[in-house]
Short mmCIF file of all heavy atoms in Angstrom, two decimals:
data_model
loop_
_atom_site.label_atom_id
_atom_site.label_comp_id
_atom_site.label_asym_id
_atom_site.label_seq_id
_atom_site.Cartn_x
_atom_site.Cartn_y
_atom_site.Cartn_z
N THR D 218 0.88 6.29 -1.42
CA THR D 218 -0.59 6.32 -1.32
C THR D 218 -0.96 6.97 0.02
O THR D 218 -0.11 7.53 0.69
CB THR D 218 -1.18 4.90 -1.40
OG1 THR D 218 -0.69 4.12 -0.29
CG2 THR D 218 -0.81 4.20 -2.69
N GLY D 219 -2.23 6.88 0.39
CA GLY D 219 -2.63 7.34 1.72
C GLY D 219 -3.36 8.67 1.72
O GLY D 219 -3.47 9.34 0.69
N PRO D 220 -3.85 9.06 2.90
CA PRO D 220 -4.70 10.26 2.99
C PRO D 220 -4.02 11.56 2.55
O PRO D 220 -4.64 12.37 1.88
CB PRO D 220 -5.09 10.31 4.48
CG PRO D 220 -4.25 9.31 5.18
CD PRO D 220 -3.79 8.32 4.18
N ALA D 221 -2.74 11.75 2.90
CA ALA D 221 -2.08 13.00 2.49
C ALA D 221 -1.88 13.01 0.97
O ALA D 221 -2.07 14.04 0.32
CB ALA D 221 -0.73 13.15 3.20
N ARG D 222 -1.56 11.86 0.40
CA ARG D 222 -1.39 11.77 -1.06
C ARG D 222 -2.69 12.12 -1.78
O ARG D 222 -2.68 12.72 -2.84
CB ARG D 222 -0.93 10.36 -1.43
CG ARG D 222 -0.86 10.08 -2.93
CD ARG D 222 0.16 10.98 -3.60
NE ARG D 222 0.16 10.87 -5.05
CZ ARG D 222 -0.64 11.59 -5.84
NH1 ARG D 222 -1.49 12.45 -5.31
NH2 ARG D 222 -0.57 11.45 -7.15
N ARG D 223 -3.84 11.74 -1.18
CA ARG D 223 -5.15 12.05 -1.76
C ARG D 223 -5.65 13.42 -1.33
O ARG D 223 -6.74 13.83 -1.72
CB ARG D 223 -6.18 11.00 -1.33
CG ARG D 223 -5.96 9.61 -1.86
CD ARG D 223 -7.17 8.72 -1.59
NE ARG D 223 -7.49 8.63 -0.16
CZ ARG D 223 -6.97 7.74 0.69
NH1 ARG D 223 -6.09 6.86 0.25
NH2 ARG D 223 -7.31 7.72 1.96
N ASN D 224 -4.88 14.08 -0.47
CA ASN D 224 -5.31 15.35 0.15
C ASN D 224 -6.69 15.18 0.79
O ASN D 224 -7.57 16.04 0.66
CB ASN D 224 -5.30 16.49 -0.88
CG ASN D 224 -5.26 17.86 -0.21
OD1 ASN D 224 -5.08 17.97 1.01
ND2 ASN D 224 -5.43 18.90 -1.00
N ASP D 225 -6.86 14.07 1.49
CA ASP D 225 -8.14 13.73 2.12
C ASP D 225 -8.16 14.39 3.50
O ASP D 225 -7.79 13.80 4.52
CB ASP D 225 -8.24 12.20 2.23
CG ASP D 225 -9.61 11.74 2.67
OD1 ASP D 225 -10.33 12.53 3.31
OD2 ASP D 225 -9.97 10.59 2.37
N THR D 226 -8.61 15.64 3.51
CA THR D 226 -8.50 16.45 4.73
C THR D 226 -9.34 15.89 5.89
O THR D 226 -8.97 16.06 7.05
CB THR D 226 -8.92 17.92 4.46
OG1 THR D 226 -10.15 17.89 3.73
CG2 THR D 226 -7.88 18.63 3.63
N SER D 227 -10.43 15.19 5.58
CA SER D 227 -11.24 14.64 6.68
C SER D 227 -10.46 13.57 7.44
O SER D 227 -10.49 13.52 8.67
CB SER D 227 -12.59 14.12 6.18
OG SER D 227 -12.41 13.06 5.29
N VAL D 228 -9.74 12.72 6.72
CA VAL D 228 -8.92 11.70 7.41
C VAL D 228 -7.74 12.36 8.12
O VAL D 228 -7.43 12.02 9.27
CB VAL D 228 -8.40 10.63 6.41
CG1 VAL D 228 -7.43 9.68 7.10
CG2 VAL D 228 -9.57 9.84 5.83
N LEU D 229 -7.09 13.31 7.46
CA LEU D 229 -5.94 13.99 8.10
C LEU D 229 -6.36 14.63 9.43
O LEU D 229 -5.67 14.49 10.44
CB LEU D 229 -5.34 15.05 7.16
CG LEU D 229 -4.70 14.50 5.87
CD1 LEU D 229 -4.26 15.65 4.96
CD2 LEU D 229 -3.51 13.60 6.18
N GLU D 230 -7.51 15.29 9.42
CA GLU D 230 -7.99 15.92 10.66
C GLU D 230 -8.36 14.89 11.72
O GLU D 230 -8.05 15.06 12.90
CB GLU D 230 -9.18 16.83 10.37
CG GLU D 230 -8.75 18.18 9.82
CD GLU D 230 -9.90 18.97 9.21
OE1 GLU D 230 -11.05 18.77 9.66
OE2 GLU D 230 -9.65 19.75 8.27
N ALA D 231 -9.02 13.84 11.28
CA ALA D 231 -9.40 12.78 12.23
C ALA D 231 -8.15 12.17 12.87
O ALA D 231 -8.10 11.93 14.08
CB ALA D 231 -10.21 11.70 11.51
N HIS D 232 -7.10 11.94 12.05
CA HIS D 232 -5.87 11.36 12.59
C HIS D 232 -5.20 12.29 13.59
O HIS D 232 -4.77 11.86 14.66
CB HIS D 232 -4.92 11.02 11.45
CG HIS D 232 -5.26 9.73 10.75
ND1 HIS D 232 -4.56 9.26 9.67
CD2 HIS D 232 -6.22 8.80 11.00
CE1 HIS D 232 -5.08 8.11 9.27
NE2 HIS D 232 -6.10 7.82 10.06
N LEU D 233 -5.13 13.57 13.25
CA LEU D 233 -4.50 14.52 14.17
C LEU D 233 -5.26 14.58 15.49
O LEU D 233 -4.67 14.69 16.56
CB LEU D 233 -4.41 15.91 13.53
CG LEU D 233 -3.34 16.03 12.44
CD1 LEU D 233 -3.44 17.37 11.72
CD2 LEU D 233 -1.93 15.85 13.03
N ASN D 234 -6.56 14.46 15.39
CA ASN D 234 -7.39 14.47 16.59
C ASN D 234 -7.13 13.23 17.47
O ASN D 234 -7.00 13.34 18.69
CB ASN D 234 -8.87 14.55 16.19
CG ASN D 234 -9.76 14.82 17.38
OD1 ASN D 234 -9.44 15.67 18.21
ND2 ASN D 234 -10.84 14.07 17.49
N ILE D 235 -7.00 12.08 16.82
CA ILE D 235 -6.73 10.84 17.58
C ILE D 235 -5.35 10.91 18.25
O ILE D 235 -5.15 10.38 19.33
CB ILE D 235 -6.83 9.60 16.65
CG1 ILE D 235 -8.27 9.43 16.15
CG2 ILE D 235 -6.38 8.34 17.38
CD1 ILE D 235 -8.43 8.42 15.02
N LEU D 236 -4.40 11.62 17.60
CA LEU D 236 -3.04 11.72 18.14
C LEU D 236 -2.87 12.83 19.18
O LEU D 236 -1.75 13.07 19.63
CB LEU D 236 -2.03 11.94 17.00
CG LEU D 236 -1.82 10.80 16.01
CD1 LEU D 236 -0.92 11.26 14.86
CD2 LEU D 236 -1.22 9.58 16.70
N LYS D 237 -3.96 13.49 19.58
CA LYS D 237 -3.78 14.72 20.36
C LYS D 237 -3.13 14.52 21.73
O LYS D 237 -2.54 15.44 22.28
CB LYS D 237 -5.09 15.50 20.48
CG LYS D 237 -6.20 14.85 21.27
CD LYS D 237 -7.42 15.78 21.29
CE LYS D 237 -8.55 15.18 22.10
NZ LYS D 237 -9.10 13.93 21.51
N GLU D 238 -3.18 13.28 22.24
CA GLU D 238 -2.50 13.00 23.52
C GLU D 238 -0.99 12.85 23.33
O GLU D 238 -0.25 12.71 24.31
CB GLU D 238 -3.04 11.70 24.14
CG GLU D 238 -4.55 11.61 24.26
CD GLU D 238 -5.06 12.47 25.40
OE1 GLU D 238 -4.40 12.50 26.46
OE2 GLU D 238 -6.11 13.14 25.22
N HIS D 239 -0.55 12.79 22.10
CA HIS D 239 0.87 12.58 21.81
C HIS D 239 1.39 13.69 20.90
O HIS D 239 1.52 13.51 19.70
CB HIS D 239 1.08 11.22 21.12
CG HIS D 239 0.73 10.05 21.97
ND1 HIS D 239 1.56 9.58 22.96
CD2 HIS D 239 -0.37 9.27 22.01
CE1 HIS D 239 1.00 8.55 23.57
NE2 HIS D 239 -0.18 8.34 23.02
N PRO D 240 1.71 14.84 21.49
CA PRO D 240 2.11 15.99 20.68
C PRO D 240 3.32 15.71 19.77
O PRO D 240 3.39 16.26 18.67
CB PRO D 240 2.45 17.08 21.70
CG PRO D 240 2.17 16.52 23.05
CD PRO D 240 1.61 15.15 22.93
N ASP D 241 4.25 14.84 20.22
CA ASP D 241 5.41 14.53 19.37
C ASP D 241 4.98 13.82 18.09
O ASP D 241 5.42 14.18 16.99
CB ASP D 241 6.39 13.61 20.11
CG ASP D 241 7.16 14.34 21.20
OD1 ASP D 241 7.04 15.59 21.28
OD2 ASP D 241 7.85 13.67 21.97
N TYR D 242 4.14 12.80 18.24
CA TYR D 242 3.68 12.07 17.06
C TYR D 242 2.86 13.00 16.15
O TYR D 242 2.94 12.95 14.93
CB TYR D 242 2.78 10.88 17.41
CG TYR D 242 3.33 9.89 18.42
CD1 TYR D 242 2.48 9.00 19.07
CD2 TYR D 242 4.69 9.81 18.70
CE1 TYR D 242 2.96 8.07 19.98
CE2 TYR D 242 5.18 8.89 19.63
CZ TYR D 242 4.30 8.02 20.27
OH TYR D 242 4.77 7.11 21.16
N GLN D 243 2.05 13.83 16.81
CA GLN D 243 1.18 14.75 16.07
C GLN D 243 2.02 15.72 15.23
O GLN D 243 1.70 15.99 14.07
CB GLN D 243 0.33 15.53 17.07
CG GLN D 243 -0.99 15.99 16.53
CD GLN D 243 -1.76 16.82 17.54
OE1 GLN D 243 -1.16 17.57 18.33
NE2 GLN D 243 -3.07 16.72 17.51
N GLU D 244 3.11 16.22 15.83
CA GLU D 244 3.97 17.18 15.13
C GLU D 244 4.60 16.53 13.89
O GLU D 244 4.67 17.14 12.81
CB GLU D 244 5.06 17.67 16.10
CG GLU D 244 5.86 18.85 15.56
CD GLU D 244 6.96 19.30 16.53
OE1 GLU D 244 7.20 18.61 17.56
OE2 GLU D 244 7.59 20.33 16.24
N ILE D 245 5.04 15.29 14.04
CA ILE D 245 5.64 14.57 12.91
C ILE D 245 4.57 14.29 11.85
O ILE D 245 4.80 14.52 10.65
CB ILE D 245 6.29 13.25 13.39
CG1 ILE D 245 7.51 13.56 14.28
CG2 ILE D 245 6.71 12.38 12.20
CD1 ILE D 245 8.09 12.36 15.01
N TYR D 246 3.41 13.83 12.29
CA TYR D 246 2.31 13.56 11.35
C TYR D 246 1.98 14.81 10.54
O TYR D 246 1.80 14.77 9.32
CB TYR D 246 1.07 13.07 12.11
CG TYR D 246 -0.04 12.54 11.21
CD1 TYR D 246 -0.22 11.17 11.02
CD2 TYR D 246 -0.89 13.41 10.52
CE1 TYR D 246 -1.21 10.68 10.18
CE2 TYR D 246 -1.88 12.93 9.69
CZ TYR D 246 -2.04 11.57 9.51
OH TYR D 246 -3.03 11.08 8.68
N LYS D 247 1.90 15.93 11.25
CA LYS D 247 1.51 17.20 10.63
C LYS D 247 2.55 17.65 9.61
O LYS D 247 2.22 18.01 8.48
CB LYS D 247 1.37 18.26 11.74
CG LYS D 247 0.32 19.30 11.48
CD LYS D 247 0.27 20.32 12.62
CE LYS D 247 -0.62 19.87 13.77
NZ LYS D 247 -0.79 20.92 14.81
N LEU D 248 3.82 17.62 10.01
CA LEU D 248 4.88 18.12 9.12
C LEU D 248 5.00 17.25 7.86
O LEU D 248 5.08 17.78 6.74
CB LEU D 248 6.22 18.16 9.87
CG LEU D 248 7.41 18.66 9.03
CD1 LEU D 248 7.21 20.12 8.61
CD2 LEU D 248 8.73 18.50 9.77
N ILE D 249 4.99 15.94 8.03
CA ILE D 249 5.16 15.08 6.85
C ILE D 249 3.94 15.18 5.94
O ILE D 249 4.08 15.32 4.72
CB ILE D 249 5.45 13.62 7.26
CG1 ILE D 249 6.77 13.56 8.05
CG2 ILE D 249 5.56 12.73 6.01
CD1 ILE D 249 7.16 12.17 8.52
N SER D 250 2.75 15.17 6.53
CA SER D 250 1.53 15.28 5.70
C SER D 250 1.51 16.60 4.94
O SER D 250 1.18 16.64 3.75
CB SER D 250 0.29 15.19 6.58
OG SER D 250 0.20 13.90 7.15
N LYS D 251 1.88 17.68 5.62
CA LYS D 251 1.93 19.00 4.98
C LYS D 251 2.86 18.96 3.77
O LYS D 251 2.55 19.49 2.70
CB LYS D 251 2.44 20.05 5.99
CG LYS D 251 2.42 21.47 5.49
CD LYS D 251 3.09 22.43 6.50
CE LYS D 251 4.61 22.38 6.37
NZ LYS D 251 5.31 23.35 7.25
N ASN D 252 4.01 18.34 3.93
CA ASN D 252 4.97 18.27 2.83
C ASN D 252 4.49 17.37 1.70
O ASN D 252 4.77 17.64 0.54
CB ASN D 252 6.34 17.82 3.36
CG ASN D 252 7.14 18.99 3.90
OD1 ASN D 252 7.75 19.74 3.15
ND2 ASN D 252 7.08 19.20 5.22
N ILE D 253 3.78 16.28 2.04
CA ILE D 253 3.24 15.42 0.97
C ILE D 253 2.19 16.20 0.17
O ILE D 253 2.22 16.22 -1.06
CB ILE D 253 2.61 14.13 1.56
CG1 ILE D 253 3.71 13.25 2.18
CG2 ILE D 253 1.85 13.35 0.47
CD1 ILE D 253 3.18 12.02 2.93
N VAL D 254 1.29 16.88 0.87
CA VAL D 254 0.26 17.67 0.18
C VAL D 254 0.92 18.74 -0.69
O VAL D 254 0.58 18.92 -1.86
CB VAL D 254 -0.72 18.31 1.20
CG1 VAL D 254 -1.64 19.30 0.51
CG2 VAL D 254 -1.53 17.23 1.91
N LYS D 255 1.91 19.42 -0.13
CA LYS D 255 2.63 20.46 -0.87
C LYS D 255 3.28 19.87 -2.12
O LYS D 255 3.20 20.44 -3.21
CB LYS D 255 3.69 21.10 0.04
CG LYS D 255 4.42 22.27 -0.56
CD LYS D 255 5.36 22.90 0.47
CE LYS D 255 6.30 23.89 -0.20
NZ LYS D 255 7.34 24.36 0.75
N HIS D 256 3.90 18.72 -1.96
CA HIS D 256 4.61 18.09 -3.08
C HIS D 256 3.66 17.77 -4.24
O HIS D 256 3.99 17.99 -5.41
CB HIS D 256 5.29 16.81 -2.62
CG HIS D 256 6.12 16.15 -3.69
ND1 HIS D 256 7.47 16.39 -3.84
CD2 HIS D 256 5.78 15.31 -4.70
CE1 HIS D 256 7.91 15.71 -4.88
NE2 HIS D 256 6.92 15.04 -5.42
N PHE D 257 2.47 17.25 -3.92
CA PHE D 257 1.58 16.75 -4.98
C PHE D 257 0.54 17.77 -5.44
O PHE D 257 -0.02 17.63 -6.51
CB PHE D 257 0.90 15.46 -4.54
CG PHE D 257 1.83 14.29 -4.55
CD1 PHE D 257 2.51 13.91 -3.40
CD2 PHE D 257 2.07 13.58 -5.72
CE1 PHE D 257 3.39 12.83 -3.40
CE2 PHE D 257 2.94 12.50 -5.74
CZ PHE D 257 3.60 12.13 -4.57
#
Side-chain angles (χ1 to χ4, degrees):
Chain D
T218 61
R222 174 63 187 87
R223 293 191 302 272
N224 200 8
D225 189 336
T226 47
S227 63
V228 174
L229 295 175
E230 279 166 29
H232 281 178
L233 285 172
N234 190 45
I235 295 168
L236 292 173
K237 66 179 181 295
E238 309 285 320
H239 295 282
D241 287 352
Y242 307 162
Q243 208 183 34
E244 190 181 7
I245 293 169
Y246 190 101
K247 212 181 274 186
L248 180 64
I249 298 179
S250 294
K251 185 187 81 176
N252 275 279
I253 293 173
V254 171
K255 185 175 168 188
H256 184 93
F257 286 94

